[in-house]
Amino acid sequence: MIKKILVANRGEIAVRIVRACSEMGIKSVAIYTDADRHALHVKKADEAYHLGSEPVTGYLNAHNIVNIAVTSGCDALHPGYGFLSENPELAEICARRDIKFIGPDADVIRQMGDKIQARNAMIAAGIPCVPGSDGNLEDVEEARVLAHKIGYPVMLKATNGGGGRGIRRCDNEKELLGNYERVISEASKAFGKPEVFLEKCVINPKHIEVQILADSQGNTIHLFERDCSIQRRNQKLIEIAPSPQISPEQRAYIGELGVKAARAVGYENAGTVEFLLDQDDNFYFMEMNTRVQVEHTVTETITGIDIVQEQIRIADGLPLQYKQEDVGFRGYAIEFRINAEDPKNNFLPSFGKITRYYAPGGPGVRIDAAMYSGYVIPPYFDSMCAKLTVWALTWDGVVERGRRALSDMQVYGVKTTIQYYQEILQHPDFKGADFNTGFVEAHPELIEYVTRIPPELRAAAISAAIAAHEGI
Ligand code: ADP
Ligand code: ADP
Ligand code: MG
């Protein structure tokens, strides 16, 4: 039985994993670099080990992290998302050192981490894929010929990409020729691998993904879908479960397709199969994420299943606690990624001290945060500082609850995306559950509205609130 877990991550997901451990009676071990000396995951874990002064690279040193797991007496390691979570070598090192890796097999991570290999495996399994390359592009001439064959617009994509980076839409040959070297350079910089491929661009698609759980005994189930169509630059901002935009028949179809995809690659543990839904109601496989996802909270909220605890049980060799027919869902959940960014300034990251933070509460509200009053957001990492997840029985109810909870949530000292999300919630297309991945780009006015309150008044209101607080 797993008794002690090394949490190979930081921020809100590290806190999330520590919470799961705590509820299961499992000890947790945190790791941190100098920049995270005062981070919440360090405070909450049972033990914490210092990785050195360099802010980021410590979290990427698989050998050292597994060493800490061994010497601190851990029997398992949870990789979270980002960092080493999709690095097959971490899973291999864990296996060699007799540490249970809480995730799928290294070979499956490797295969699904390569979007070409993933596509080919899905095509072989009869899962519909967007028309595109069957291998990496050799040169720009191959790209030109293939794009001509499948028709513009096309997407140039980093084969090993993630986090929405290394993806460019090309509307014509000129753009393709212009973007080719750019995507290669982005891919090399961000992922250390220059390989790129090409896919037909689906016009105004919805991003619909299926949460999978699969145990070591061959049981594979889905926990329904999430709608992650509200994105900016291919990065998710708001995620919803279930999708308010698909029918029960589509829900049943896509759930089964997700399970089929996972089975086709012998998937074990929690994973997500991402699909695009086009304007003619066709679903296409896009990629598989072999880890817990940022937006797992919305699925937990509607199904009542603790995905992180299930991950740990699966890694421990235990069978799933649920059969497909036992899994139901109730109402709607929306997650808002609260980023420390300035929407008015091209979403520029806004790091620094959170002078005051008031968490929202009340019915149907969940917060997964890495911040607290007085916390200084370090400039070296992702700008997401909290996730707000709200739940209600109906779509209209959850939109209202989101509005109320976002207004409850007060963050002073840094700029955040909170007010921008309020604007999205007020838009008739969002309220009417009719949006696609083009929504953010199609509505630049929502970013303008963020400062509907004149900045002087806003600053005065904030000072007054702080003064009032300090007067207490
Ligand atoms: P999710 O897929 O869980 O919805 P994201 O795609 O936003 O979430 O990724 C979550 C985090 O992991 C982000 O910080 C992102 O930058 C990082 N990330 C995702 N994939 C990769 C990758 N292949 N390489 C490096 N970082 C990644
Ligand atoms: P990542 O690994 O960075 O998450 P994905 O392949 O999942 O990359 O793509 C990220 C986002 O980019 C998708 O959610 C979608 O909005 C957009 N996208 C990717 N491929 C296509 C495509 N072929 N057509 C239209 N949009 C796409
Ligand atoms: Mg993706």
Side-chain angles (χ1 to χ4, degrees):
M1 287 293 283
I2 292 176
K3 293 197 178 64
K4 194 169 180 182
I5 293 177
L6 186 127
V7 183
N9 216 295
R10 66 175 299 281
E12 69 82 21
I13 194 63
V15 174
R16 170 71 189 88
I17 297 162
V18 168
R19 285 182 169 141
C21 291
S22 167
E23 289 180 13
M24 295 173 84
I26 295 172
K27 293 270 179 251
S28 55
V29 175
I31 50 175
Y32 65 99
T33 61
D34 274 1
D36 277 335
R37 211 168 266 286
H38 304 290
L40 214 50
H41 73 284
V42 177
K43 298 181 198 289
K44 289 203 184 285
D46 293 302
E47 293 168 31
Y49 292 87
H50 186 224
L51 298 172
S53 59
E54 215 290 325
V56 182
T57 51
Y59 292 110
L60 298 172
N61 187 336
H63 281 286
N64 187 38
I65 293 172
V66 179
N67 258 336
I68 295 173
V70 172
T71 53
S72 62
C74 290
D75 35 32
L77 177 149
H78 197 304
Y81 58 70
F83 295 108
L84 292 170
S85 63
E86 289 170 276
N87 184 324
E89 281 160 30
L90 175 64
E92 282 164 353
I93 297 167
C94 283
R96 282 205 295 277
R97 305 290 305 273
D98 214 16
I99 296 285
K100 287 178 176 142
F101 178 75
I102 303 172
D105 218 60
D107 291 338
V108 177
I109 299 177
R110 194 169 278 121
Q111 186 186 17
M112 294 297 105
D114 179 308
K115 290 183 181 174
I116 288 286
Q117 283 189 45
R119 274 173 63 86
N120 290 340
M122 293 306 148
I123 292 167
I127 311 275
C129 291
V130 187
S133 318
D134 45 21
N136 291 311
L137 293 169
E138 291 292 333
D139 52 28
V140 69
E141 179 55 18
E142 189 190 347
R144 199 185 62 77
V145 171
L146 186 61
H148 182 74
K149 198 175 111 196
I150 63 180
Y152 289 96
V154 297
M155 288 291 213
L156 261 181
K157 296 173 70 167
T159 305
N160 298 280
R165 284 168 303 163
I167 301 177
R168 294 230 176 194
R169 174 177 165 149
C170 312
D171 282 317
N172 49 52
E173 191 168 306
K174 186 162 168 268
E175 284 184 13
L176 178 75
L177 301 180
N179 282 332
Y180 186 76
E181 289 300 329
R182 207 169 288 153
V183 175
I184 290 179
S185 135
E186 279 170 10
S188 312
K189 253 186 247 150
F191 314 113
K193 294 186 177 161
E195 286 81 15
V196 296
F197 71 106
L198 199 146
E199 229 172 52
K200 186 159 183 65
C201 177
V202 181
I203 309 289
N204 290 335
K206 301 180 200 324
H207 173 122
I208 307 286
E209 58 182 39
V210 177
Q211 176 68 55
I212 297 295
L213 288 179
D215 66 20
S216 56
Q217 277 109 72
N219 304 301
T220 305
I221 62 170
H222 68 79
L223 305 185
F224 303 100
E225 82 287 352
R226 295 184 283 258
D227 187 326
C228 312
S229 302
I230 302 292
Q231 307 183 349
R232 178 179 171 272
R233 299 197 172 162
N234 307 316
Q235 290 173 5
K236 300 161 187 167
L237 298 177
I238 296 177
E239 300 102 334
I240 302 157
S243 172
Q245 309 197 83
I246 68 171
S247 67
E249 292 72 33
Q250 286 176 306
R251 175 160 303 121
Y253 169 76
I254 197 67
E256 279 171 29
L257 208 57
V259 168
K260 187 174 167 189
R263 284 212 176 106
V265 295
Y267 199 82
E268 186 182 317
N269 213 285
T272 298
V273 190
E274 296 189 336
F275 296 92
L276 290 176
L277 173 60
D278 76 6
Q279 290 168 328
D280 300 319
D281 284 344
N282 301 301
F283 283 101
Y284 299 101
F285 170 84
M286 185 164 51
E287 65 154 346
M288 179 161 195
N289 292 138
T290 55
R291 54 174 167 82
V292 68
Q293 261 177 299
V294 173
E295 60 273 21
H296 73 282
T297 63
V298 288
T299 302
E300 291 187 331
T301 302
I302 62 160
T303 61
I305 295 177
D306 187 310
I307 293 171
V308 179
Q309 291 196 20
E310 287 304 319
Q311 286 192 289
I312 296 169
R313 291 173 48 87
I314 291 167
D316 218 352
L318 298 170
L320 288 178
Q321 305 191 79
Y322 312 90
K323 293 196 169 46
Q324 188 66 63
E325 57 269 27
D326 301 334
V327 183
F329 68 90
R330 198 155 179 258
Y332 287 94
I334 306 181
E335 177 190 83
F336 302 91
R337 296 191 188 197
I338 310 298
N339 297 336
E341 292 170 358
D342 182 3
K344 284 289 279 179
N345 192 2
N346 205 21
F347 292 83
L348 188 76
S350 172
F351 301 111
K353 184 167 177 171
I354 296 176
T355 51
R356 291 271 184 276
Y357 164 49
Y358 301 99
V365 173
R366 165 178 174 174
I367 278 284
D368 291 77
M371 61 173 176
Y372 50 85
S373 282
Y375 176 63
V376 180
I377 303 177
Y380 314 107
F381 308 101
D382 200 89
S383 57
M384 193 178 78
C385 55
K387 306 188 303 203
L388 166 63
T389 306
V390 293
W391 175 88
L393 262 181
T394 63
W395 175 246
D396 290 347
V398 81
V399 172
E400 278 308 301
R401 185 156 280 163
R403 185 191 53 71
R404 190 272 295 166
L406 285 167
S407 68
D408 272 359
M409 187 169 189
Q410 301 283 321
V411 182
Y412 300 138
V414 297
K415 299 223 163 42
T416 72
T417 46
I418 292 174
Q419 190 56 36
Y420 177 52
Y421 295 151
Q422 290 283 30
E423 303 298 339
I424 293 179
L425 285 190
Q426 286 175 46
H427 194 280
D429 288 350
F430 188 86
K431 284 185 163 175
D434 180 16
F435 47 83
N436 55 54
T437 60
F439 179 89
V440 165
E441 254 194 356
H443 297 289
E445 77 281 5
L446 299 182
I447 296 172
E448 292 306 310
Y449 293 163
V450 168
T451 44
R452 247 199 269 249
I453 310 170
E456 332 65 86
L457 284 187
R458 226 181 145 77
I462 292 169
S463 317
I466 293 173
H469 178 86
E470 282 170 350
I472 292 168

